[in-house]
């Protein structure tokens, strides 16, 4: 038996050929020999991470529409996209390790459900930011890192890879959140005691769950609800911050100007940046579709959230465009009438129909190609680049529409016509809003155009300056409206 004792010292000196990295670079031999987590324990924890990402995805979208701060709308769009992608990856990994039923749509612990329900029901932006960015995401990040350190890096290499990518984006969200919370320091400080008491509710819920990963000792207490005693109700009415002083304003028909061959291409770039920034209303509307549509395969939520994020990205492209031109975008009256009308007057399926109908109108020569060619004709390199990517995104969005909307109909023609009819049902209160004093539909174009001319040292074109066509009689696809409320 002596040879056995001699073997182990010999193998401890084992080196890969030519000193190459061992085990494909995944780990050292010492690390790969550690027992790590069993498949059962790994799956149990991964399912809790899946639940956390899924609930965060839900919270970001359910709170996006009614959140007035533009920057937070944009961040929620991006972070919902990240979460949707990680949910998809975790679902696939769990499915690789266990046979169905996987139980991925069930809350893994009642106390964990209370934790996320409380954040979803947070009454103000301050609590919402603290719940997401000062509690949920830091705890999730710590749990992911802990799991990665405990599991066997060779046997469980697919999970380790998944967690590595998840941690990159969790840390990015966490960093953004720290800055966002700091920006609301004054508001949080004014309600310090009240907010601190609620944060203890979150801590108690996590303790009752044994931590987010469930690996800790459970407190033995029952998680107590505070804000979530009353079931959360999604608020589908879009809200904007003070930089959007006239959100009902429909005084400038951007499409009528853009598609007018008599107008020169250079000021059309300014109008295209307005159209991009105005796409704030698409995430506001799409969040309502995703939030109110239940029971779909996760691929639906992942694809729709990707499109929602793209539309938010387009809005930020417009913001960057105005900055590049030296024009104050807050002088442009970016309205929310489209998202308001669709969210409050149509079903989720009808909203999706309108979205798809509009997307189809963006593909012909008068659509995204035209906008890209207009940017080229204006010799504006930034606008050309942004329109190029905007066009590419819309091709993807048309595919998303075919996969998840058109598939509900006999053929594409029927789907398009149904979406057109749905849009025609939306009553735009052009006169009503004016009569109620909500807006005068002021033509803001001359002031913005003059600012653009001054920034470029140009003499205004009188024909361009005189543009004065509103959305009273025509909608954005230039279809004539039979009546306006």
């Amino acid at each position: 038996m002596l040879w056995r004792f001699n073997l182990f010292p010999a193998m401890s000196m084992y080196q890969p050929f030519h000193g190459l990295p061992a085990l494909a670079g995944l780990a050292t031999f010492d690390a790969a020999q550690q027992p790590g987590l069993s498949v059962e324990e790994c799956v149990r924890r991964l399912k809790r991470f899946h639940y956390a990402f899924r609930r965060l995805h839900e919270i970001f979208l359910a709170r996006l529409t009614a959140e007035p701060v533009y920057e937070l709308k944009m961040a929620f769009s991006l972070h919902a996209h990240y979460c949707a992608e990680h949910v998809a990856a975790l679902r696939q990994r769990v499915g690789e390790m266990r046979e169905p039923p996987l139980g991925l749509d069930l809350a893994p612990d009642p106390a964990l459900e209370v934790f996320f329900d409380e954040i979803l029901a947070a009454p103000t932006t301050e609590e919402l930011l603290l719940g997401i960015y000062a509690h949920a995401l830091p705890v999730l990040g710590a749990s992911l890192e802990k799991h990665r350190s405990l599991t066997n890096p060779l046997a469980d290499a697919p999970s380790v890879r998944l967690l590595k990518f998840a941690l990159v984006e969790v840390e990015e969200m966490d960093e953004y959140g720290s800055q966002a919370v700091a920006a609301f320091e004054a508001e949080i400080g004014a309600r310090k005691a009240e907010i601190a008491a609620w944060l203890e509710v979150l801590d108690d819920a996590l303790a009752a769950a044994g931590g987010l990963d469930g690996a800790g000792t459970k407190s033995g207490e029952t998680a107590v609800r505070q804000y979530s005693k009353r079931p959360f109700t999604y608020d589908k009415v879009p809200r904007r911050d003070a930089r959007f002083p006239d959100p009902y304003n429909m005084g400038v028909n951007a499409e009528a100007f853009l598609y007018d061959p008599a107008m020169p291409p250079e000021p059309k770039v300014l109008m295209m940046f307005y159209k991009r920034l105005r796409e704030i209303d698409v995430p506001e509307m799409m969040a309502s579709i995703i939030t109110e549509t239940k029971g779909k395969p996760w691929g639906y939520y992942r694809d729709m959230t990707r499109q929602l994020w793209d539309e938010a990205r387009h809005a930020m492209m417009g913001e960057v465009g105005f900055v590049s031109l030296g024009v104050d975008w807050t002088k442009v009256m970016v309205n929310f009438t489209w998202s308001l009308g669709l969210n409050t007057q149509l079903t989720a399926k009808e909203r999706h129909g309108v979205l798809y109908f509009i997307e189809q109108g963006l593909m012909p020569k008068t659509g995204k190609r035209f906008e890209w060619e207009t940017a080229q004709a204006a010799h504006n390199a930034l606008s050309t680049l942004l329109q190029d990517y905007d066009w590419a995104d819309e091709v993807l969005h048309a595919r998303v529409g075919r996969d998840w909307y058109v598939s509900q109909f006999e053929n594409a023609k029927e789907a398009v016509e149904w979406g057109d009819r749905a849009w025609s049902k939306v009553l735009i209160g052009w006169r009503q809003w004016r009569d109620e004093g909500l807006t005068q539909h002021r033509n803001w174009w001359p002031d913005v155009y003059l600012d653009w001319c001054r920034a470029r040292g140009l003499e205004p074109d009188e024909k361009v300056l005189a543009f004065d066509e509103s959305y009273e009689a025509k909608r954005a696809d230039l279809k004539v409206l039979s009546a306006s409320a």
Side-chain angles (χ1 to χ4, degrees):
M1 299 293 293
L2 185 60
W3 64 271
R4 294 196 178 190
F5 292 98
N6 292 335
L7 175 64
F8 291 105
M11 291 309 295
S12 68
M13 303 298 292
Y14 173 73
Q15 292 294 326
F17 187 65
H18 277 318
L20 288 168
L23 306 174
L26 290 174
T28 65
F29 280 98
D30 285 343
Q33 292 176 73
Q34 301 306 311
L37 303 174
S38 67
V39 169
E40 181 180 4
E41 178 61 14
C42 182
V43 167
R44 188 192 67 77
R45 296 188 190 207
L46 292 182
K47 287 168 73 170
R48 291 173 81 101
F49 303 153
H50 167 274
Y51 181 74
F53 277 118
R54 185 163 64 85
R55 291 305 308 273
L56 285 168
H57 171 266
E58 173 194 7
I59 292 166
F60 283 128
L61 295 187
R63 297 299 298 262
L64 186 155
T65 304
E67 171 53 53
V69 179
Y70 159 70
E71 284 81 2
L72 292 180
K73 286 182 191 286
M74 301 297 100
F76 289 177
S77 300
L78 173 60
H79 296 170
H81 165 59
Y82 285 169
C83 289
E85 293 294 321
H86 296 306
V87 169
L90 284 160
R91 293 178 79 90
Q92 178 176 330
R93 179 58 180 151
V94 171
E96 293 168 353
M97 302 171 81
R98 282 292 180 255
E99 294 294 326
L102 303 174
L104 287 170
D105 296 321
L106 303 175
D109 189 294
L112 206 56
E113 184 174 26
V114 171
F115 176 79
F116 286 105
D117 283 352
E118 281 292 310
I119 298 173
L120 175 64
T124 71
T125 297
E126 295 86 71
E127 279 103 337
L128 181 63
L129 293 179
L130 286 168
I132 294 172
Y133 295 114
H135 278 66
L137 279 167
V139 171
L140 176 57
S143 298
L144 294 172
E145 189 60 66
K146 177 183 172 185
H147 187 105
R148 188 168 69 162
S149 69
L150 291 176
T151 199
N152 186 286
L154 178 61
D156 194 23
S159 297
V160 172
R161 178 176 182 270
L162 181 155
L163 297 176
K164 177 173 63 177
F165 290 123
L167 275 165
V168 169
E169 293 186 336
V170 167
E171 289 169 4
E172 180 185 317
M173 290 188 278
D174 202 15
E175 182 179 352
Y176 175 90
S178 296
Q179 297 177 53
V181 168
F184 280 80
E185 182 179 2
E187 292 83 352
I188 293 169
R191 300 173 51 235
K192 185 176 180 180
E194 176 188 355
I195 292 176
W198 177 66
L199 294 179
E200 287 185 10
V201 172
L202 298 185
D203 291 336
D204 291 345
L206 274 181
L212 191 143
D213 61 6
T217 301
K218 295 187 177 183
S219 67
E221 302 293 328
T222 300
V224 177
R225 294 181 181 272
Q226 181 173 325
Y227 297 137
S228 65
K229 285 180 180 178
R230 179 180 298 176
F232 173 77
T233 301
Y234 170 62
D235 187 350
K236 63 179 70 176
V237 177
R239 289 178 176 79
R240 302 279 176 86
D241 62 49
R243 293 168 296 174
F244 301 84
D246 196 359
Y248 291 89
N249 187 312
M250 299 184 69
V252 177
N253 191 316
E255 290 74 23
F257 181 90
L258 184 60
Y259 298 133
D260 185 345
M263 295 294 179
E266 290 80 8
K268 287 183 178 181
V269 168
L270 182 62
M271 196 66 89
M272 287 193 293
F273 285 151
Y274 163 64
K275 278 170 58 64
R276 297 291 75 76
L277 181 57
R278 194 179 63 186
E279 289 187 62
I280 300 168
D281 60 4
V282 186
E284 290 172 338
M285 189 280 287
M286 287 197 70
S288 74
I289 299 175
I290 300 168
T291 297
E292 295 183 341
T293 302
K294 308 298 183 183
K296 294 282 190 179
W298 189 256
Y300 167 88
Y301 301 103
R302 180 190 60 204
D303 288 354
M304 290 289 284
T305 307
R306 163 59 194 273
Q307 179 173 350
L308 179 148
W309 157 236
D310 288 346
E311 306 292 4
R313 212 170 83 249
H314 298 167
M316 290 186 285
M317 289 178 182
E319 180 186 12
V320 170
F322 278 109
V323 171
S324 74
L325 297 178
V327 175
D328 181 0
W329 67 260
T330 64
K331 293 183 178 181
V332 177
M333 298 301 105
V334 181
N335 61 60
F336 61 16
T337 55
W338 185 75
S339 55
L340 175 67
L342 268 64
N343 282 9
T344 59
Q345 298 179 42
L346 299 181
T347 66
K349 182 179 178 181
E350 287 173 327
R351 287 173 224 141
H352 201 170
V354 174
L355 184 65
Y356 183 74
F357 174 77
I358 292 173
E359 287 162 357
Q360 296 312 294
L362 299 177
M363 292 302 104
K365 290 183 178 180
T366 54
K368 292 302 177 184
R369 175 184 285 276
F370 174 82
E371 293 185 346
W372 175 68
E373 290 173 344
T374 298
Q376 285 188 312
H379 304 290
N380 186 298
L382 177 62
S383 180
T384 301
L385 177 74
L386 298 182
Q387 291 303 145
D388 201 9
Y389 278 90
D390 183 61
W391 181 12
D393 288 339
E394 294 303 342
V395 174
L396 169 63
H397 301 166
R399 192 272 295 165
V400 173
R402 290 193 298 272
D403 287 351
W404 300 112
Y405 169 71
V406 177
S407 58
Q408 302 174 77
F409 296 85
E410 289 294 327
N411 53 62
K413 182 174 182 293
E414 180 185 339
V416 170
E417 291 174 347
W418 197 86
D420 187 16
R421 289 195 299 273
W423 197 5
S424 297
K425 289 168 60 177
V426 179
L427 296 176
I428 298 299
W430 202 93
R431 294 190 185 92
Q432 177 186 340
W433 295 331
R434 182 193 59 193
D435 294 344
E436 291 177 355
L438 295 173
T439 183
Q440 293 304 308
H441 299 296
R442 179 179 65 85
N443 179 11
W444 46 263
W445 171 253
D447 291 340
V448 173
Y449 173 62
L450 288 172
D451 282 354
W452 177 77
C453 289
R454 281 191 288 268
R456 292 171 60 87
L458 298 175
E459 282 295 319
D461 182 320
E462 292 302 321
K463 177 178 59 181
V464 174
L465 186 63
F467 177 76
D468 187 14
E469 185 170 344
S470 76
Y471 288 101
E472 181 179 13
K474 291 180 182 177
R475 66 189 192 190
D477 64 349
L478 303 183
K479 183 173 182 178
V480 176
L481 299 174
S482 58
S484 180

